Amino acid sequence: MVMDKGLSVREAEDMLSVSEPYIDLIKLGFGTAFVTPHIEKKIAVYKQAGIPCYFGGTLFEAFLVRGQFDDYLRLLDTYKMEYAEVSDGSIDLEHDEKCAYISRLSKHVTVLSEVGSKDENKILAPYKWIELMQKEIEAGSYKVIAEARESGTVGIYHSKGEVRSDLIDEILTKVPQEKIIWEAPLKGQQVYFIKLLGSNVNLGNIPPNEVIPLETLRLGLRGDTFHHFLK
C-alpha cells in the first residue's frame, strides 16, 4: 500500500509508469484528498491502472467527529470509491461503535480498518492489539492495518522507529498474517518484515519513491536482504 500525500496528476502518472506492477493499494493520506486540486482526475488515473485507492482514515474521523457520517457516505459515492478506511487514531471512539461503522460500510465498500493510536503515549498491550484486530475482522474488515503513521515512530514501533518485535510475535500467534497490513515506511522496518514473514508480506505507507527500492528488498537485490535469499 502506497501513501500518496498529495501527488499531482502528473506525478501520479509518473509513479505508475515505473511502479504500477508492484502496487496493490493507494491511500490518499490522512485528509489530503480534501484539499488536493483535481483529485477526481488523479483518482481516475489510479482506476484506469486497476489499482484501488481510498481516503485516509483521518478523513473518516474528521467527518465522524462532526456528526457527518452520512456526508462521508455521500463523499464515497461522489467519487465512486470502492474502498474505505475506518480508524480511530485521532479520536476517542468506543470499539463497539467502530465495529458498527465497519459493518455498515462493508455492505457498500471494501473496508480496511486501522488499529493503534497516533498518540505515542498510548501504548496498547499485545492482548489488546489482538482483541481489536480480531473483532474488526469479524465486523467485516478485509484487512486490518497496524498503525505506525507515515513517520514509522508510533504503534508497532518505538519512538525512534525500532520494531516492537515482541508485540509482532504475539499478534501473529492469533491473527493470520495475510489479514494484516504492516505500516512500514522506513527501510529497516521493511527489511524486518520481509525477513520475518517473506517476500510477499503486506506492507503499507510506502512512499511513492520507495516502491522500486522495496521491490529489490523483496527479491534480494539489495544488500540488506541479499544474503537472506541465498540461504
Side-chain angles (χ1 to χ4, degrees):
M1 176 263 280
V2 169
M3 171 78 86
D4 174 345
K5 296 194 292 183
L7 297 178
S8 68
V9 173
R10 184 172 298 173
E11 286 173 323
E13 292 171 337
D14 287 344
M15 175 181 69
L16 294 180
S17 71
V18 292
S19 301
E20 180 181 335
Y22 311 116
I23 300 174
D24 299 293
L25 295 166
I26 295 175
K27 176 191 289 195
L28 304 173
F30 32 103
T32 57
F34 207 72
V35 296
T36 301
H38 312 299
I39 189 65
E40 68 285 347
K41 293 181 181 178
K42 183 165 64 170
I43 290 172
V45 167
Y46 292 146
K47 286 189 175 182
Q48 186 174 3
I51 301 174
C53 67
Y54 61 96
F55 301 131
T58 304
L59 189 59
F60 162 80
E61 295 178 47
F63 275 84
L64 194 65
V65 78
R66 291 170 173 80
Q68 294 179 279
F69 180 69
D70 288 340
D71 291 331
Y72 180 74
L73 292 178
R74 282 189 280 272
L75 184 71
L76 295 179
D77 187 58
T78 296
Y79 290 101
K80 296 179 172 56
M81 303 300 275
E82 298 176 356
Y83 282 66
E85 180 180 315
V86 174
S87 66
D88 57 351
S90 298
I91 63 175
D92 291 322
L93 184 64
E94 290 294 330
H95 196 244
D96 285 346
E97 189 177 355
K98 180 182 181 184
C99 288
Y101 282 115
I102 291 170
S103 180
R104 182 173 173 185
L105 275 168
S106 67
K107 294 177 173 59
H108 306 282
V109 296
T110 300
V111 176
L112 302 158
S113 63
E114 191 169 69
V115 177
S117 175
K118 290 177 169 58
D119 185 346
E120 63 181 20
N121 294 316
K122 289 185 179 179
I123 307 297
L124 297 178
Y127 82 89
K128 195 65 179 177
W129 281 86
I130 292 168
E131 177 185 325
L132 297 177
M133 286 180 166
Q134 288 177 330
K135 287 185 176 180
E136 292 179 21
I137 291 169
E138 290 170 5
S141 287
Y142 164 60
K143 293 188 188 297
V144 289
I145 303 170
E147 173 72 77
R149 302 198 72 175
E150 73 274 13
S151 61
T153 56
V154 298
I156 56 174
Y157 305 110
H158 295 292
S159 60
K160 293 184 179 179
E162 308 96 327
V163 180
R164 295 175 61 192
S165 56
D166 291 347
L167 169 63
I168 305 304
D169 290 343
E170 194 148 350
I171 289 173
L172 289 168
T173 64
K174 299 292 184 180
V175 183
Q177 64 158 307
E178 63 270 15
K179 297 296 291 185
I180 305 172
I181 297 175
W182 309 96
E183 291 188 341
L186 305 180
K187 183 183 72 169
Q189 298 163 355
Q190 297 160 14
V191 170
Y192 171 84
F193 281 110
I194 289 170
K195 288 184 175 181
L196 180 68
L197 298 173
S199 295
N200 292 320
V201 61
N202 300 321
L203 300 177
N205 282 15
I206 306 304
N209 63 345
E210 291 294 325
V211 177
I212 294 297
L214 171 56
E215 189 63 19
T216 64
L217 287 175
R218 291 185 186 274
L219 298 175
L221 298 176
R222 192 171 178 180
D224 307 82
T225 57
F226 187 91
H227 291 283
H228 181 73
F229 289 94
L230 294 178
K231 294 178 182 178

